[in-house]
Amino acid sequence: MAASLRIYIQGDTPIHRADARVKLVLLLLFSVGVFFVDTWRGLGVYSLVVAVVVVAGRMPLVRLGALSLPLVVLLAFIWACNAFAFDVGSLAESGLGGVSAGFVEGWQPVALAGRFGFVPQGCMFALFYAVRILLILWASFAVSFTTSVEALTGAFASLMRPLRVIRVPVDDVATMLSLAVRFIPLTAEELALVRSAQTARGARLESGSIWQRFVAYRTVFIPLVVRLFRRADTLSVSMVARCYGCTQRTSLEEPHVCLRQAVVFLACSALLVVVACIL
């Protein structure tokens, strides 16, 4: 579980070498632009962009699919709710105007068993939005797979630097973000250790009814909370010992964007904006 939470994959691809700030800004533009696209051609262009990034970053497709599985199941359920109806007669009378249905635009619902039937326009409408959400998820994974936690934290701090003018504690926000991200796999490791220890002592965590399992897991969560508080206390002592907060934070290496990355950033931004506006 802890290993699956560390999704950063080391590599030397162009996507890995790109500045983290560039990737975050492009991810933001992509996420906003994909919801402005209202045609299947535009969605196809955005899908092609994600495919190129995945291939260029040499990302493992199996792991990408495994991490996307929970959302895919949810989207499949939503798609089924829109693709089938228990009263196709009322849908045929009211119509489905304003739906991005692609080549099935204007098709009428088809009765399969009595009033229960298939709705072609609803099917394509739900599929369109499902693809939108999946593209955003895969684009986010593309950034997470190719960018370390340290680089992401530094990118957030750099992008939020203008907020210092209005006295926003940018460095503190970046530090808290870094600690939160680091504590996610740490919590998973602690949970695995406590769970193994309690199982060795005879705790029945995988047997019985749901309520019995829930009650049994209190022997896991109580020690887990205690161990996390101890780690937090140790962290606070170490931060005080290093005089955190006494002066403004400095960096040994100032991030900078080279000319090639700037050109690629502008070209990709222009492509996303033009596709969102035209298609």
Side-chain angles (χ1 to χ4, degrees), residues 45-202:
V45 174
Y46 272 72
S47 302
L48 181 61
V49 170
V50 173
V52 170
V53 171
V54 169
V55 173
R58 299 176 184 174
M59 303 171 198
L61 298 180
V62 175
R63 191 175 183 186
L64 185 64
L67 292 174
S68 306
L69 185 59
L71 181 61
V72 170
V73 173
L74 177 61
L75 292 176
F77 174 75
I78 297 174
W79 171 83
C81 293
N82 286 270
F84 298 92
F86 289 97
D87 190 0
V88 294
S90 61
L91 291 177
E93 295 173 0
S94 61
L96 291 170
V99 177
S100 300
F103 66 92
V104 300
E105 186 71 37
W107 289 21
Q108 294 299 316
V110 180
L112 300 177
R115 287 184 171 272
F116 178 79
F118 176 69
V119 185
Q121 295 188 62
C123 169
M124 298 300 291
F125 176 74
L127 184 61
F128 192 91
Y129 276 93
V131 173
R132 276 178 169 177
I133 296 174
L134 281 177
L135 288 179
I136 294 176
L137 177 68
W138 291 336
S140 302
F141 280 145
V143 175
S144 302
F145 281 155
T146 60
T147 314
S148 64
V149 175
E150 293 78 7
L152 284 176
T153 304
F156 276 116
S158 179
L159 292 174
M160 292 189 300
R161 188 173 298 174
L163 297 179
R164 290 177 178 174
V165 178
I166 56 177
R167 299 192 176 183
V168 174
V170 174
D171 294 331
D172 293 338
V173 172
T175 301
M176 294 304 105
L177 176 64
S178 176
L179 293 176
V181 172
R182 288 175 180 274
F183 259 81
I184 292 175
L186 182 62
T187 303
E189 291 178 358
E190 292 289 351
L191 176 60
L193 289 174
V194 175
R195 186 174 178 275
S196 299
Q198 297 298 71
T199 302
R201 293 183 175 93

Side-chain angles (χ1 to χ4, degrees), residues 18 22 29 31 43 46 57 59 69 76 109 113 120 122 129 150 154 163 178 193 198 211 223 236 244 251 255 272-273:
V22 172
L29 291 175
S31 302
L43 203 62
Y46 272 72
M59 303 171 198
L69 185 59
Y129 276 93
E150 293 78 7
L163 297 179
S178 176
L193 289 174
Q198 297 298 71
W211 175 252
S236 64
Y244 178 83
S251 176
L272 295 176
V273 172

